Each structure stands twice: as C-alpha cells, then as structure tokens.
Amino acid sequence: MATPDGLRVTRVSAPIRSQVVDNIRQAIIDRRLLPGERLVERELVESMGVSRTSVREALRELAAEGLVHTVPNRGTVVANVSREQAMQLYRVRATLEGLAGQLFAETASPAQRRALKKAYDAVVATYSKGNSVVEVKDRFFDVLLDGTGNDSLAAIARSLHARVSVLRALTLSVPGRVDHSMRELGDIMAAIDASDGDAARRACAHHVEEAGRVLSLALPS
Amino acid sequence: MATPDGLRVTRVSAPIRSQVVDNIRQAIIDRRLLPGERLVERELVESMGVSRTSVREALRELAAEGLVHTVPNRGTVVANVSREQAMQLYRVRATLEGLAGQLFAETASPAQRRALKKAYDAVVATYSKGNSVVEVKDRFFDVLLDGTGNDSLAAIARSLHARVSVLRALTLSVPGRVDHSMRELGDIMAAIDASDGDAARRACAHHVEEAGRVLSLALPS
DNA sequence: TTTTGTATGATAGACATACAATCTGTCTGA
DNA sequence: TCAGACAGATTGTATGTCTATCATACAAAA
C-alpha cells in the first residue's frame, strides 16, 4: 500500500519522561544548568511537576548519553568535561564531522545543497552584523548532518556536540577565533560546492580540530 | 597525606540497576536475546528477581545506547538493525576504528604493543586450529581500543560494536570471509608494528568496510 | 590541637502497590 | 461482513516505605 509521508500521523502523546529528558538536555546545552551542578531528584520533581519515577528514568537516559554523571548514593550532576576528555571528544568529533562533510559533498541532493547554502548565507549575514554566530552555525551543521543520508552518524555527531556544548562559552571568548572559524566554514562550503568529498572531509575535520586547539588554550589545564 | 592507591576501596556493590543493564546487554550481544524479541517488564522482574523500578531504569539506559527500542505504550524490544542502518553503522565504525588504529600506531606504549601482539597471536593460533575467531578477535580490538589513549573513542566504538553484534552471525557464515579477515588483521598488525599511523588507519578502516561489504551481501535486502 | 567517635539530616537506591492510559485482540449484534 | 464494544495485557505514572550512604557538625579523647 502506498502511504504518502504527508499522511503519516506523528505520535501525539510523548511520554512525560521524554519531555523531562528534553527539558534537562536543552537546559544543559543552553548552559542554564552548568557542569557540576547537582540535579536533586526532589527539586526536579517539584519544579517540573512530575513524579520521581519519570525524573529518575530521565536521568538514566541522560547518564547513558554522557550528559550527566551519576554517583551511587550521591546523586546526579551535570557532566563535567575535563580538559583531557574534551580533547578526546574533539578528536572524535573531527573525524566524524569530516565523514559527514565527505558524505554530504558526495551524496547530498540539490535541495539539501540549497538548504546548506542558505544556512551558510545566514551565518555570513549574522557575522557581518557582528552578532553571535552560535545558533546559525549550529543550524548549518544540522543541515549538513541531515544531508549525509546517514542518520546514525548524525545522531552520534549531535550527541557529541551536546556533550561539549558546555565548553562553548570558552571557545568563543578567544579573540580572533570567530574570524578563523568563518574562513574555515567558507572552505567547507567551497569543497561541498565542488562536490569534492575529500576536500570537504579535510575542511570539516580541520574546522573541529581548530576549535579543539583553541579550546585547549582557553581551558584551565 | 600519602594515600597509596593500593588501599583504595573499590565500590563493592554496583547498583542493582547496572547489573540488570549488564545482564541484558550481554544477552543481546551473545544473541541469547534476538532482534525484535520483546522485553516484557513483568517477565524481566520475575526472571531477574528485582523490582520493576530497576528494570525500567535499566531499559531506559539500554534504549539510550540504541540496543533496544521503546515504543510508547507498547513496550521494549531488542533493536532490529535494518540493512540500511547496518550500512550506516559500519561506515561510522570504519571511520572510528580507523582513527583508533592510527592513534594506537602513533601513541601506544611498548607494553600495549606487546599486549596487542599477544592478542594477535591468539587470533592466529585459534584460526590455525580451525576454531571460531570471534572471541579472540573481539579481544584484539579491545586491546587496540585501550591503547588509543582515548577513552571516549573507545566507549563510542564499543557501543557501535555492540549494536551491530546482533548481525555477526551473518558475517561469519559467508564462505572465505574469515581468510580475508585474517589477512586484513595482518595488515593492521604490520602497520602498527611499523608505527605507521596512516597505514594503520587505512588498514583498520578497510577491515571494517570489508566486513560491512560482506554483510550487505548476506543481509536480506 | 589533633584525632576519633557519634549523632543527625539529606539524599539516593530499591521495592511494593495502585491506578490510569493505551494497545490488541475477540466477541457481539446489526 | 464489519463497526463497535469489551476484556485482558502491558506500559506509564504516581506514591509511600524502608534502607544505605554520604556530609556535616559536634562532642570526646588523646
């Protein structure tokens, strides 16, 4: 039977616990919850108006994602990414986003390329105005990951991105970083425009590696 | 105060929940639980002798790992890896294990290299006897991951490995695959012996890609 | 003064129970 | 035949209880 995607019914009632997961995850990514901050079950229960069951199950999910740490009998805290761990994560991210860039350059559809170009233009426009490029750059990489045709890769890359997002404030505070970053983004765009998979891979990997390098300078060792 | 590490008390009792996680995860990896099989909470409660709370929290962790799927109001099943998803996962694995091989070749200590050589010899010996090389080969890659010095990479690679392990029976059933596999392993070992990071990366990636290619032939499309 | 012992409070870990919500069949009656 | 009602099974959520562990404070002893 032909079932057009347009008719597909999205599940209306998401479990409460997944809303709890999303709330806490977003709060961590947005730095409303800072590394090391305790996530006391009772407080979460009260502030979110759900049962302890839902809160605990949500915390298990987040722990498995690596966004929080649970110490037996002591509770859960927002994961604190050490300097060394940050370097490790950036190394993995560089490799994976390199793969993402390559796949996009090699396989993305015209529509996906147009979407990426649009996202890129938004980054440039925001940069020109002197505003923070954080959101638009996230959007750019979101589009890029979607265009890889590899959902597993996208999911893993996004997960890693979330885990290091707690450090993002540091990266951006480094003077001159944003300018370099823009140039690297331009290189990525150029390689993709040329459908040069190998160049796209190198450009994406380089972009993340540079961010990691800058971060290592800004991080308290 | 000098506190020798030898006196440190390791946590005796892991949380029951994590034992439940380990049990189910191992059962999935060992194919005692097959893809699609339902994980009914009540049955798990009875068979493992723990409360429903512990079982549910364990299932949340496994779901976050991607080893099981939870459909709201319908329950949890062992994750079924589609052909396409398998290809995606192998692509990511190839990249990550390539990175692992490179890091090992470039940074592993002499002791770690000896351990890897030992694991390699065990694979060869088992192969010569005509026995299944599954376990010894897992051991080989375990040692390799440990020697990368990148725990984050090791954790992610192991997680991916677990997710595709449900398909392993298929890969091994392909005639001639084991011989090819042994040759690829030899290439990896040679590159690492030569401390040639780039060659090790290519050899490791190639090994996984070949496994994926063979799998794609064996998989019901 | 420093160390050791003890009390206490806060919190998580685990369990049992209860009930609501949802899905999956089966059965019924038009 | 088939829509709809119905029952059973299972998950989703909430709640109360008890225990284990940790942090802290403070008293007692050396």
Side-chain angles (χ1 to χ4, degrees), chain A residues 32-195:
Chain A
R32 302 198 304 275
L33 290 173
L34 298 177
E37 195 163 341
R38 293 195 61 187
L39 298 174
V40 181
E41 293 177 3
R42 182 182 48 79
E43 293 175 2
L44 293 173
V45 164
E46 290 173 3
S47 66
M48 308 185 91
V50 299
S51 75
R52 206 177 150 204
T53 305
S54 303
V55 168
R56 285 180 61 87
E57 291 183 16
L59 291 179
R60 297 299 154 255
E61 284 195 40
L62 292 166
E65 287 180 33
L67 281 178
V68 304
H69 276 149
T70 298
V71 182
N73 294 308
R74 294 213 31 210
T76 301
V77 298
V78 178
N80 216 328
V81 183
S82 72
R83 176 197 171 84
E84 180 172 11
Q85 199 178 15
M87 296 300 96
Q88 295 181 354
L89 289 172
Y90 268 82
R91 188 87 196 235
V92 177
R93 261 191 75 197
T95 303
L96 289 184
E97 301 206 3
L99 175 60
Q102 179 184 354
L103 291 178
F104 192 103
E106 290 173 355
T107 69
S109 72
Q112 287 166 330
R113 289 168 192 275
R114 280 196 300 275
L116 191 70
K117 183 74 171 71
K118 196 170 155 191
Y120 176 71
D121 289 341
V123 178
V124 173
T126 306
Y127 173 65
S128 304
K129 289 189 206 152
N131 295 331
S132 165
V133 295
V134 172
E135 286 84 6
V136 280
K137 229 180 77 178
D138 282 359
R139 167 75 186 151
F140 176 82
F141 279 102
D142 245 18
V143 175
L144 191 143
L145 288 175
D146 281 337
T148 60
N150 188 324
D151 294 341
S152 305
L153 168 61
I156 296 170
R158 290 199 176 99
S159 169
L160 287 178
H161 188 259
R163 286 178 67 179
V164 295
S165 66
V166 297
L167 304 167
R168 194 158 50 185
L170 290 171
T171 330
L172 297 177
S173 65
V174 174
R177 171 58 195 150
V178 183
D179 308 287
H180 278 92
S181 175
M182 289 304 296
R183 218 168 306 151
E184 292 155 17
L185 222 58
D187 293 342
I188 294 173
M189 205 59 223
I192 286 177
D193 274 339
S195 292

Side-chain angles (χ1 to χ4, degrees), chain B residues 56-75:
Chain B
R56 284 181 60 88
E57 290 183 14
L59 291 178
R60 298 297 153 257
E61 288 191 31
L62 292 166
E65 286 180 35
L67 281 179
V68 304
H69 276 150
T70 298
V71 182
N73 295 309
R74 296 214 30 211

Side-chain angles (χ1 to χ4, degrees), chain B residues 89-111:
Chain B
L89 289 171
Y90 268 82
R91 187 87 197 236
V92 177
R93 262 191 75 197
T95 302
L96 289 184
E97 300 205 4
L99 175 59
Q102 178 184 353
L103 290 178
F104 192 103
E106 290 173 355
T107 69
S109 72

